[in-house]
Amino acid sequence: MAAALGGLGLLQGRVRLAAAAAASSPLRRPGPRGLVRGGAACSPAGKGYSSEAKGEEELRVRYLEEENQGIVVLGLNRSRAKNALNKNLIKMMSKAVDALKSDKKVRTVIFRSEVPGIFCAGADLQERAKMHSSEVSSFVSKARATINEMANLPVPTIAAIDGTALGGGLELALACDIRVAASSAKMGLVETKLAIIPGAGGTQRLPRTIGVSLAKELIFSARIVDGEEAKSIGLISHVVEQNESGDAAYRRALALAQEFLPQGPLAIRVAKLAINQGMEVDLVTGLAIEEACYAQTIPTKDRIEGLLAFKEKRPPRYKGE
Protein backbone atom coordinates (compact mmCIF):
# COMPACT_ATOMS: atom_id res chain seq x y z
CA MET A 1 0.00 0.00 0.00
CA ALA A 2 2.86 2.37 0.82
CA ALA A 3 4.37 1.84 -2.61
CA ALA A 4 1.06 2.40 -4.32
CA LEU A 5 0.32 5.59 -2.43
CA GLY A 6 3.89 6.75 -2.90
CA GLY A 7 3.18 6.59 -6.60
CA LEU A 8 0.59 9.29 -6.11
CA GLY A 9 3.40 11.68 -5.28
CA LEU A 10 5.04 10.86 -8.59
CA LEU A 11 1.68 11.30 -10.24
CA GLN A 12 1.74 15.02 -9.44
CA GLY A 13 4.81 15.33 -11.65
CA ARG A 14 3.27 13.22 -14.39
CA VAL A 15 0.14 15.33 -14.30
CA ARG A 16 2.25 18.43 -14.86
CA LEU A 17 4.00 16.73 -17.77
CA ALA A 18 0.64 15.76 -19.24
CA ALA A 19 -0.53 19.33 -18.93
CA ALA A 20 2.63 20.58 -20.61
CA ALA A 21 2.18 18.11 -23.47
CA ALA A 22 -1.42 19.15 -23.94
CA ALA A 23 -0.43 22.80 -23.82
CA SER A 24 1.96 22.29 -26.74
CA SER A 25 -0.74 20.62 -28.84
CA PRO A 26 -2.18 22.74 -31.67
CA LEU A 27 -5.64 21.57 -30.55
CA ARG A 28 -5.32 23.29 -27.21
CA ARG A 29 -8.03 25.81 -26.50
CA PRO A 30 -7.59 28.91 -24.33
CA GLY A 31 -8.12 28.24 -20.65
CA PRO A 32 -6.94 29.15 -17.16
CA ARG A 33 -3.19 29.26 -16.71
CA GLY A 34 -1.32 26.34 -15.22
CA LEU A 35 -2.25 23.79 -12.59
CA VAL A 36 -3.01 24.34 -8.98
CA ARG A 37 -0.89 22.51 -6.51
CA GLY A 38 -2.07 20.57 -5.07
CA GLY A 39 -22.48 18.63 15.54
CA ALA A 40 -24.39 19.75 17.20
CA ALA A 41 -24.86 16.98 19.76
CA CYS A 42 -21.65 15.66 21.27
CA SER A 43 -22.92 12.08 21.21
CA PRO A 44 -22.07 10.48 17.85
CA ALA A 45 -24.56 9.13 15.35
CA GLY A 46 -24.15 5.43 14.77
CA LYS A 47 -21.54 3.10 16.17
CA GLY A 48 -17.82 2.96 15.96
CA TYR A 49 -16.37 5.99 17.69
CA SER A 50 -12.94 5.77 19.22
CA SER A 51 -12.44 7.25 22.66
CA GLU A 52 -9.51 9.53 21.83
CA ALA A 53 -11.36 12.84 22.02
CA LYS A 54 -11.24 14.86 25.22
CA GLY A 55 -14.05 17.17 26.25
CA GLU A 56 -11.86 20.22 26.81
CA GLU A 57 -10.24 20.17 23.37
CA GLU A 58 -11.29 22.92 20.99
CA LEU A 59 -10.84 20.50 18.08
CA ARG A 60 -11.91 16.90 18.59
CA VAL A 61 -10.35 14.33 16.29
CA ARG A 62 -12.21 11.03 16.13
CA TYR A 63 -11.22 7.96 14.16
CA LEU A 64 -14.36 5.94 13.64
CA GLU A 65 -14.25 2.18 14.06
CA GLU A 66 -16.11 -1.00 13.13
CA GLU A 67 -18.21 -0.51 9.99
CA ASN A 68 -17.09 3.13 9.79
CA GLN A 69 -13.36 2.42 9.94
CA GLY A 70 -11.50 4.80 7.67
CA ILE A 71 -13.76 7.78 8.42
CA VAL A 72 -12.24 10.57 10.52
CA VAL A 73 -14.37 13.28 12.12
CA LEU A 74 -12.94 16.68 13.01
CA GLY A 75 -15.28 18.40 15.46
CA LEU A 76 -15.05 22.12 16.24
CA ASN A 77 -15.67 22.54 19.97
CA ARG A 78 -15.26 26.18 21.08
CA SER A 79 -18.71 26.53 22.60
CA ARG A 80 -17.92 29.73 24.50
CA ALA A 81 -16.92 31.47 21.26
CA LYS A 82 -19.31 29.92 18.72
CA ASN A 83 -16.37 27.98 17.23
CA ALA A 84 -14.73 31.24 16.15
CA LEU A 85 -11.33 30.72 14.56
CA ASN A 86 -8.55 31.89 16.85
CA LYS A 87 -4.80 31.26 16.81
CA ASN A 88 -5.05 28.10 18.87
CA LEU A 89 -7.85 26.53 16.84
CA ILE A 90 -6.07 27.26 13.56
CA LYS A 91 -2.91 25.69 15.02
CA MET A 92 -4.84 22.59 16.07
CA MET A 93 -6.52 22.32 12.67
CA SER A 94 -3.19 22.63 10.90
CA LYS A 95 -1.67 19.90 13.07
CA ALA A 96 -4.64 17.58 12.51
CA VAL A 97 -4.68 18.09 8.75
CA ASP A 98 -0.93 17.52 8.57
CA ALA A 99 -1.36 14.16 10.30
CA LEU A 100 -4.32 13.16 8.13
CA LYS A 101 -2.68 13.82 4.78
CA SER A 102 0.03 11.25 5.47
CA ASP A 103 -2.26 8.66 7.12
CA LYS A 104 -2.85 5.99 4.50
CA LYS A 105 -5.68 4.41 6.49
CA VAL A 106 -7.87 7.50 6.23
CA ARG A 107 -10.61 7.18 3.61
CA THR A 108 -12.87 10.21 4.24
CA VAL A 109 -12.77 13.25 6.54
CA ILE A 110 -15.90 14.92 7.92
CA PHE A 111 -15.75 18.44 9.36
CA ARG A 112 -18.54 19.20 11.82
CA SER A 113 -19.40 21.18 14.92
CA GLU A 114 -20.04 19.73 18.33
CA VAL A 115 -21.63 22.97 19.50
CA PRO A 116 -25.43 23.08 19.07
CA GLY A 117 -26.73 25.53 16.49
CA ILE A 118 -23.37 26.71 15.18
CA PHE A 119 -20.87 25.45 12.62
CA CYS A 120 -18.33 28.27 12.80
CA ALA A 121 -18.93 31.99 13.33
CA GLY A 122 -15.77 32.97 11.44
CA ALA A 123 -12.75 34.72 12.88
CA ASP A 124 -12.52 35.41 16.60
CA LEU A 125 -13.12 39.17 16.50
CA GLN A 126 -12.32 39.64 20.21
CA GLU A 127 -8.87 38.22 19.62
CA ARG A 128 -8.59 40.12 16.34
CA ALA A 129 -9.31 43.45 18.06
CA LYS A 130 -6.21 42.98 20.23
CA MET A 131 -3.92 42.27 17.28
CA HIS A 132 -1.53 44.71 15.66
CA SER A 133 -2.11 45.11 11.91
CA SER A 134 0.98 43.04 11.19
CA GLU A 135 -0.39 40.25 13.39
CA VAL A 136 -3.66 40.32 11.47
CA SER A 137 -1.88 39.71 8.18
CA SER A 138 0.12 36.87 9.67
CA PHE A 139 -2.98 35.25 11.18
CA VAL A 140 -5.00 35.48 7.97
CA SER A 141 -2.08 34.00 6.03
CA LYS A 142 -1.90 31.08 8.45
CA ALA A 143 -5.66 30.54 8.28
CA ARG A 144 -5.58 30.65 4.48
CA ALA A 145 -2.69 28.17 4.36
CA THR A 146 -4.46 25.81 6.77
CA ILE A 147 -7.70 25.88 4.79
CA ASN A 148 -5.71 25.32 1.58
CA GLU A 149 -4.14 22.25 3.18
CA MET A 150 -7.63 21.03 4.02
CA ALA A 151 -8.67 21.50 0.40
CA ASN A 152 -5.62 19.54 -0.72
CA LEU A 153 -6.22 16.51 1.47
CA PRO A 154 -5.97 13.50 -0.87
CA VAL A 155 -9.21 11.90 0.37
CA PRO A 156 -12.83 13.08 0.13
CA THR A 157 -13.81 15.78 2.63
CA ILE A 158 -17.36 16.61 3.71
CA ALA A 159 -18.56 19.67 5.64
CA ALA A 160 -21.58 18.92 7.84
CA ILE A 161 -23.22 22.29 8.48
CA ASP A 162 -25.77 21.92 11.27
CA GLY A 163 -25.75 25.57 12.25
CA THR A 164 -24.44 29.01 11.33
CA ALA A 165 -21.39 29.19 9.05
CA LEU A 166 -20.23 32.76 8.51
CA GLY A 167 -17.07 34.31 7.11
CA GLY A 168 -14.14 32.00 7.76
CA GLY A 169 -16.58 29.30 8.81
CA LEU A 170 -18.10 29.21 5.34
CA GLU A 171 -14.62 29.44 3.80
CA LEU A 172 -13.71 26.32 5.75
CA ALA A 173 -16.78 24.56 4.34
CA LEU A 174 -16.04 25.77 0.81
CA ALA A 175 -12.65 24.04 1.00
CA CYS A 176 -14.39 20.68 1.41
CA ASP A 177 -15.32 18.51 -1.55
CA ILE A 178 -18.95 18.18 -0.48
CA ARG A 179 -21.17 20.32 1.74
CA VAL A 180 -24.31 19.12 3.54
CA ALA A 181 -26.46 21.50 5.56
CA ALA A 182 -29.57 21.55 7.68
CA SER A 183 -32.38 23.63 6.18
CA SER A 184 -32.20 25.89 9.25
CA ALA A 185 -28.47 26.55 8.88
CA LYS A 186 -27.33 30.07 7.98
CA MET A 187 -24.41 30.69 5.62
CA GLY A 188 -22.69 33.76 4.26
CA LEU A 189 -19.45 35.60 3.54
CA VAL A 190 -20.14 38.70 5.59
CA GLU A 191 -16.70 40.32 5.70
CA THR A 192 -17.69 43.46 3.78
CA LYS A 193 -19.80 44.43 6.81
CA LEU A 194 -16.48 44.88 8.62
CA ALA A 195 -14.90 46.77 5.70
CA ILE A 196 -12.68 43.80 4.76
CA ILE A 197 -13.00 40.95 2.27
CA PRO A 198 -12.96 37.17 2.64
CA GLY A 199 -9.30 36.28 3.16
CA ALA A 200 -9.19 32.50 3.45
CA GLY A 201 -10.24 31.56 -0.06
CA GLY A 202 -13.79 32.87 -0.16
CA THR A 203 -13.32 35.24 -3.12
CA GLN A 204 -11.92 32.35 -5.14
CA ARG A 205 -13.86 29.26 -4.06
CA LEU A 206 -17.34 30.82 -3.90
CA PRO A 207 -17.39 31.92 -7.57
CA ARG A 208 -15.97 28.55 -8.59
CA THR A 209 -18.85 26.93 -6.71
CA ILE A 210 -21.90 29.06 -7.55
CA GLY A 211 -20.74 31.23 -10.45
CA VAL A 212 -19.04 34.60 -10.63
CA SER A 213 -22.06 36.93 -10.81
CA LEU A 214 -23.95 35.38 -7.90
CA ALA A 215 -20.80 35.13 -5.80
CA LYS A 216 -20.18 38.84 -6.31
CA GLU A 217 -23.76 39.59 -5.30
CA LEU A 218 -23.49 37.60 -2.08
CA ILE A 219 -20.10 39.04 -1.12
CA PHE A 220 -21.00 42.63 -2.01
CA SER A 221 -24.20 42.45 0.02
CA ALA A 222 -22.85 40.26 2.86
CA ARG A 223 -26.07 38.32 2.44
CA ILE A 224 -26.85 35.31 4.61
CA VAL A 225 -28.78 32.39 3.09
CA ASP A 226 -30.45 29.40 4.72
CA GLY A 227 -30.01 25.76 3.79
CA GLU A 228 -32.82 25.69 1.25
CA GLU A 229 -31.51 28.71 -0.65
CA ALA A 230 -27.95 27.41 -0.39
CA LYS A 231 -29.06 24.21 -2.09
CA SER A 232 -30.95 26.09 -4.82
CA ILE A 233 -27.86 28.13 -5.78
CA GLY A 234 -25.45 25.19 -5.63
CA LEU A 235 -23.60 26.25 -2.51
CA ILE A 236 -24.31 22.88 -0.88
CA SER A 237 -24.97 19.43 -2.33
CA HIS A 238 -27.63 18.25 0.14
CA VAL A 239 -30.12 19.94 2.46
CA VAL A 240 -31.84 18.05 5.29
CA GLU A 241 -34.46 18.92 7.86
CA GLN A 242 -32.90 19.39 11.29
CA ASN A 243 -33.64 16.70 13.87
CA GLU A 244 -34.13 16.86 17.65
CA SER A 245 -30.46 16.02 18.24
CA GLY A 246 -29.35 18.91 16.05
CA ASP A 247 -27.02 16.73 13.97
CA ALA A 248 -29.04 15.98 10.82
CA ALA A 249 -26.35 17.30 8.47
CA TYR A 250 -23.70 15.24 10.22
CA ARG A 251 -25.81 12.09 9.91
CA ARG A 252 -26.25 12.74 6.18
CA ALA A 253 -22.50 13.37 5.82
CA LEU A 254 -21.77 10.11 7.60
CA ALA A 255 -24.12 8.26 5.25
CA LEU A 256 -22.27 9.75 2.28
CA ALA A 257 -18.91 8.74 3.72
CA GLN A 258 -20.22 5.21 4.16
CA GLU A 259 -21.01 5.14 0.44
CA PHE A 260 -17.35 5.86 -0.32
CA LEU A 261 -15.91 3.13 1.91
CA PRO A 262 -16.54 0.10 -0.36
CA GLN A 263 -14.86 1.76 -3.37
CA GLY A 264 -11.19 1.41 -4.31
CA PRO A 265 -9.25 3.76 -2.01
CA LEU A 266 -6.46 4.48 -4.48
CA ALA A 267 -8.98 5.08 -7.25
CA ILE A 268 -10.80 7.65 -5.11
CA ARG A 269 -7.58 9.50 -4.33
CA VAL A 270 -6.58 9.57 -8.00
CA ALA A 271 -10.09 10.58 -9.08
CA LYS A 272 -10.02 13.55 -6.68
CA LEU A 273 -6.63 14.61 -8.03
CA ALA A 274 -7.82 14.35 -11.63
CA ILE A 275 -10.96 16.39 -10.94
CA ASN A 276 -9.24 19.07 -8.87
CA GLN A 277 -6.39 19.57 -11.34
CA GLY A 278 -8.60 19.27 -14.39
CA MET A 279 -11.06 21.93 -13.26
CA GLU A 280 -8.28 24.55 -13.31
CA VAL A 281 -7.37 24.08 -16.98
CA ASP A 282 -8.98 23.78 -20.41
CA LEU A 283 -10.66 20.54 -21.53
CA VAL A 284 -7.80 19.26 -23.70
CA THR A 285 -5.32 19.67 -20.86
CA GLY A 286 -7.82 18.18 -18.44
CA LEU A 287 -8.19 15.07 -20.60
CA ALA A 288 -4.40 14.67 -20.60
CA ILE A 289 -4.48 14.87 -16.82
CA GLU A 290 -7.20 12.22 -16.71
CA GLU A 291 -5.10 9.96 -18.93
CA ALA A 292 -2.08 10.31 -16.66
CA CYS A 293 -4.20 9.61 -13.59
CA TYR A 294 -5.96 6.62 -15.13
CA ALA A 295 -2.60 5.09 -15.98
CA GLN A 296 -1.75 5.01 -12.28
CA THR A 297 -4.67 2.69 -11.53
CA ILE A 298 -3.80 0.05 -14.15
CA PRO A 299 -0.90 -1.71 -12.34
CA THR A 300 -2.63 -1.82 -8.94
CA LYS A 301 -3.65 -5.00 -7.14
CA ASP A 302 -6.98 -3.34 -6.37
CA ARG A 303 -7.86 -3.19 -10.06
CA ILE A 304 -7.22 -6.92 -10.45
CA GLU A 305 -9.25 -7.58 -7.30
CA GLY A 306 -12.14 -5.57 -8.72
CA LEU A 307 -12.21 -7.61 -11.90
CA LEU A 308 -11.92 -10.87 -9.98
CA ALA A 309 -14.72 -9.91 -7.60
CA PHE A 310 -16.95 -9.00 -10.55
CA LYS A 311 -16.25 -12.37 -12.17
CA GLU A 312 -16.91 -14.25 -8.92
CA LYS A 313 -20.01 -12.15 -8.15
CA ARG A 314 -18.82 -11.09 -4.69
CA PRO A 315 -17.94 -7.79 -3.00
CA PRO A 316 -14.35 -6.74 -3.68
CA ARG A 317 -11.81 -6.70 -0.86
CA TYR A 318 -9.67 -3.71 -1.62
CA LYS A 319 -6.41 -3.15 0.28
CA GLY A 320 -5.22 0.10 -1.24
CA GLU A 321 -2.43 -1.61 -3.16
Side-chain angles (χ1 to χ4, degrees):
M1 181 173 182
L5 285 171
L8 289 180
L10 297 176
L11 179 56
Q12 293 278 3
R14 295 183 183 181
V15 163
R16 287 192 288 272
L17 289 175
S24 64
S25 169
L27 297 177
R28 182 176 186 266
R29 299 174 184 175
R33 297 188 299 274
L35 295 176
V36 294
R37 295 184 179 274
C42 291
S43 58
K47 300 178 180 179
Y49 264 87
S50 69
S51 57
E52 295 180 14
K54 296 181 180 179
E56 69 274 12
E57 293 180 343
E58 294 185 342
L59 180 69
R60 295 182 176 182
V61 182
R62 291 190 174 101
Y63 289 76
L64 305 197
E65 298 172 347
E66 300 175 8
E67 69 271 20
N68 293 323
Q69 187 171 357
I71 301 173
V72 179
V73 180
L74 299 186
L76 302 175
N77 192 42
R78 289 195 74 209
S79 58
R80 65 187 182 280
K82 297 183 179 180
N83 289 339
L85 302 173
N86 65 350
K87 291 180 180 179
N88 183 60
L89 185 53
I90 290 294
K91 181 179 179 180
M92 294 181 72
M93 289 171 56
S94 178
K95 183 178 179 180
V97 169
D98 191 55
L100 290 172
K101 67 183 180 183
S102 59
D103 190 338
K104 299 174 179 61
K105 295 181 180 179
V106 175
R107 302 284 297 278
T108 298
V109 178
I110 298 175
F111 291 88
R112 68 170 298 194
S113 168
E114 299 197 6
V115 179
I118 192 77
F119 179 74
C120 175
D124 188 331
L125 297 182
Q126 292 188 9
E127 181 184 73
R128 180 75 59 87
K130 300 175 183 177
M131 292 182 184
H132 186 271
S133 57
S134 61
E135 291 182 279
V136 174
S137 296
S138 176
F139 172 79
V140 173
S141 294
K142 178 62 177 176
R144 183 186 304 114
T146 299
I147 289 177
N148 283 341
E149 286 298 310
M150 286 172 42
N152 291 329
L153 280 171
V155 298
T157 54
I158 308 173
I161 308 170
D162 274 306
T164 302
L166 300 178
L170 182 55
E171 289 178 301
L172 187 159
L174 282 166
C176 293
D177 298 314
I178 301 166
R179 285 163 296 284
V180 181
S183 57
S184 57
K186 306 297 182 183
M187 291 157 270
L189 295 179
V190 297
E191 286 84 352
T192 52
K193 284 186 176 181
L194 298 173
I196 56 175
I197 69 170
T203 64
Q204 303 305 305
R205 291 192 176 95
L206 187 63
R208 283 170 166 80
T209 301
I210 66 173
V212 174
S213 181
L214 187 53
K216 287 178 177 178
E217 181 180 329
L218 294 185
I219 291 174
F220 295 167
S221 65
R223 186 182 305 156
I224 296 173
V225 300
D226 62 18
E228 294 291 350
E229 185 175 357
K231 176 65 168 65
S232 71
I233 64 177
L235 178 56
I236 62 175
S237 299
H238 303 275
V239 59
V240 292
E241 290 297 322
Q242 190 56 279
N243 57 27
E244 292 183 2
S245 300
D247 63 351
Y250 169 67
R251 290 174 183 268
R252 184 69 179 93
L254 183 58
L256 285 172
Q258 290 168 341
E259 289 186 49
F260 304 158
L261 288 179
Q263 320 313 327
L266 291 177
I268 288 179
R269 287 173 178 246
V270 175
K272 177 171 177 174
L273 176 63
I275 295 168
N276 283 358
Q277 299 281 11
M279 290 305 297
E280 298 300 322
V281 297
D282 61 277
L283 179 60
V284 172
T285 306
L287 291 172
I289 291 170
E290 180 184 78
E291 182 179 8
C293 289
Y294 188 96
Q296 290 297 300
T297 67
I298 295 176
T300 64
K301 294 180 180 179
D302 279 355
R303 186 183 74 89
I304 303 303
E305 165 61 16
L307 292 173
L308 186 61
F310 177 79
K311 180 180 179 181
E312 297 176 354
K313 298 181 179 180
R314 61 169 174 81
R317 296 183 289 270
Y318 295 125
K319 297 181 180 179
E321 299 176 351

